[in-house]
């Protein structure tokens, strides 16, 4: 009886319903499920492309609008500017349609409009809560600047972006470039690489701030594309639409009061929401300005302008008038004699 029981136990262990066989089947099923899950994951990854860090997705997912002024097109706006301007463009921000242009592919110095590309690269490689170290190179800047950055302290990237785009801080540009690329020279290489990737055929950079004019140039068409790219970035769009800002800074009072140089915002132009100004002797007055009214969103680029504060609103006003829907024709009413 003992031998038979041993034989029976052994037979049950080897049978289909024995625990060892069930465990083996369960393991096999689990292995198949895991394999299928991995296979589906790989297929999804190939379909969606390589993984991108969350904070850089906004920068690469948006499609650029149609190239501005690449091909001649009938202009909807006819404006004669009494004051001089070397190059200008009036365009629809959403569609890229050109409403008016003057030498849209003329390459000229762009002064602090350079900082548009600087800002784009910074938001592609950092988070607003990141910090940049303030080195001696930052505080020994030339030209316009925040002027209050504390040496050997860490400052929020967001604060520096406000300082870059509102008062046009050259010191902020240096600090941000070093935070992203280690050195200013490395950052300039990144700027030119991004310009090539965006097919900005007129654009070349030799500085992160625009303080150097030699070899640092663009055209109105390229700057319109840059404006579109900036305004698709929520943080940058919020910054450039701000007339005044108070941002945290590790100094005595703990805050930095910053004012925007954009004449559209300074003068309270209706619907104004960006973007950047610039000035050097070689570049003259420069402006990339945008404004919204209803669903119409227009932008203007002025390079080496005699007066951006006058020419910018004049062109935008003409653009909004041209884009306004036609008024319905009034119905004629015949005078009827009064009935008595």
């Amino acid at each position: 009886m003992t031998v038979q029981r041993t034989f029976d136990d052994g037979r049950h262990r080897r049978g289909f319903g024995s625990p060892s066989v069930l465990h083996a089947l369960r393991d096999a099923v689990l292995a198949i499920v895991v394999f299928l899950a991995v296979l589906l994951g790989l297929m999804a990854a190939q379909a969606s492309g390589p993984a991108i860090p969350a904070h850089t997705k906004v920068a690469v997912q948006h499609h650029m609008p149609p190239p501005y002024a690449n091909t001649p097109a009938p202009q909807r706006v006819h404006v004669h500017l009494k004051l001089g301007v070397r190059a200008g463009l009036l365009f629809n921000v959403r569609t890229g349609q050109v409403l008016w242009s003057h030498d849209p592919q003329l390459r000229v110095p762009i002064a602090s409009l350079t900082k548009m590309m600087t800002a784009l690269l910074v938001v592609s490689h950092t988070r607003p809560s990141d910090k940049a170290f303030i080195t001696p190179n930052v505080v020994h800047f030339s030209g316009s600047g925040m002027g209050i950055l504390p040496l050997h302290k860490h400052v929020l990237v967001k604060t520096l972006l406000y300082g870059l785009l509102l008062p046009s801080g050259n010191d902020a540009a240096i600090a941000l470039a070093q935070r992203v690329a280690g050195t200013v020279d490395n950052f300039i290489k990144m700027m030119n690489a991004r310009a090539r990737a965006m097919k900005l055929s007129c654009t070349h950079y030799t500085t992160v701030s625009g303080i150097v004019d030699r070899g640092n140039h663009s055209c109105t068409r390229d700057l319109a594309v840059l404006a579109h790219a900036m305004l698709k970035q929520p943080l940058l769009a919020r910054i450039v639409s701000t007339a005044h800002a108070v941002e945290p800074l590790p100094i005595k009072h703990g805050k930095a009061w910053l004012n925007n140089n954009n004449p559209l915002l300074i003068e309270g132009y209706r619907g104004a929401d960006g973007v950047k100004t610039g000035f050097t002797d070689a570049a003259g007055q420069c402006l990339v300005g945008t404004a919204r009214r209803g669903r119409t969103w227009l932008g203007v680029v002025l390079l080496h302008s005699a007066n951006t504060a006058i020419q910018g609103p004049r062109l935008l006003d003409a653009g909004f008038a041209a884009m306004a829907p036609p008024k319905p024709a009034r119905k004629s009413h015949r005078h009827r004699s009064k009935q008595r």
Side-chain angles (χ1 to χ4, degrees):
M1 293 298 293
T2 302
V3 174
Q4 181 65 42
R5 184 170 59 251
T6 302
F7 175 78
D8 289 343
D9 289 344
R11 182 181 60 188
H12 287 306
R13 281 195 298 269
R14 292 190 299 270
F16 183 79
S18 67
S20 60
V21 174
L22 290 174
H23 290 165
L25 287 172
R26 182 192 63 187
D27 293 341
V29 171
L30 286 174
I32 292 171
V33 170
V34 171
F35 172 78
L36 290 174
V38 171
L39 181 61
L40 290 172
L42 289 172
M43 292 172 65
Q46 288 177 351
S48 60
I52 301 171
H55 67 285
T56 64
K57 285 185 178 179
V58 173
V60 298
Q61 285 181 342
H62 294 294
H63 296 289
M64 297 307 299
Y68 298 89
N70 253 8
T71 56
Q75 298 188 22
R76 294 189 58 177
V77 173
H78 300 277
V79 177
H80 174 68
L81 298 177
K82 295 180 180 179
L83 301 174
V85 62
R86 288 196 68 185
L89 191 74
L90 177 67
F91 61 98
N92 186 316
V93 176
R94 298 185 194 280
T95 66
Q97 178 191 17
V98 173
L99 306 179
W100 173 90
S101 67
H102 174 65
D103 281 344
Q105 298 196 55
L106 178 67
R107 299 182 184 186
V108 293
I110 57 171
S112 286
L113 300 186
T114 300
K115 295 183 176 81
M116 296 168 65
M117 178 63 84
T118 302
L120 272 177
L121 280 174
V122 169
V123 298
S124 296
H125 292 85
T126 64
R127 294 180 175 86
S129 58
D130 290 343
K131 293 185 176 182
F133 186 66
I134 306 304
T135 67
N137 286 339
V138 174
V139 298
H140 295 130
F141 69 97
S142 58
S144 61
M146 297 176 66
I148 52 175
L149 294 177
L151 182 62
H152 298 149
K153 296 288 185 68
H154 288 87
V155 177
L156 286 171
V157 163
K158 183 166 79 76
T159 297
L160 291 170
L161 282 170
Y162 272 94
L164 178 79
L165 296 171
L166 270 62
S168 200
N170 295 345
D171 45 1
I174 297 169
L176 289 166
Q178 291 180 161
R179 170 63 179 80
V180 170
T183 68
V184 167
D185 288 342
N186 286 340
F187 192 85
I188 293 171
K189 292 177 183 177
M190 293 174 64
M191 295 170 73
N192 286 311
R194 176 64 70 88
R196 290 190 296 271
M198 294 176 67
K199 301 186 186 305
L200 305 181
S201 58
C202 304
T203 303
H204 184 263
Y205 299 104
T206 57
T207 170
V208 299
S209 64
I211 191 62
V212 178
D213 291 304
R214 186 177 179 84
N216 197 82
H217 53 73
S218 187
C219 61
T220 60
R221 176 264 173 196
D222 284 5
L223 292 166
V225 174
L226 275 169
H228 180 274
M230 283 189 69
L231 293 168
K232 297 296 273 185
Q233 295 284 349
L235 175 59
L236 296 183
R238 184 165 65 251
I239 291 174
V240 298
S241 66
T242 303
H244 311 283
V246 180
E247 290 297 311
L249 190 67
I251 54 177
K252 183 177 180 180
H253 299 290
K255 295 178 181 179
W257 281 263
L258 305 168
N259 298 312
N260 202 321
N261 292 331
N262 189 336
L264 299 177
L265 291 167
I266 292 173
E267 299 298 330
Y269 184 80
R270 184 160 64 93
D273 61 355
V275 174
K276 189 70 187 73
T277 63
F279 175 80
T280 62
D281 289 339
Q285 291 186 31
C286 300
L287 171 68
V288 177
T290 55
R292 302 188 199 214
R293 293 183 185 174
R295 292 189 54 81
T296 304
W297 194 7
L298 300 182
V300 63
V301 182
L302 295 167
L303 301 179
H304 213 298
S305 163
N307 193 320
T308 57
I310 293 176
Q311 292 179 337
R314 172 122 188 252
L315 285 166
L316 288 169
D317 283 345
F320 284 118
M323 297 291 287
K327 295 181 180 180
R330 293 182 178 179
K331 296 181 179 179
S332 60
H333 297 280
R334 295 180 179 179
H335 295 286
R336 299 178 179 177
S337 59
K338 296 181 179 179
Q339 294 181 356
R340 293 186 179 180

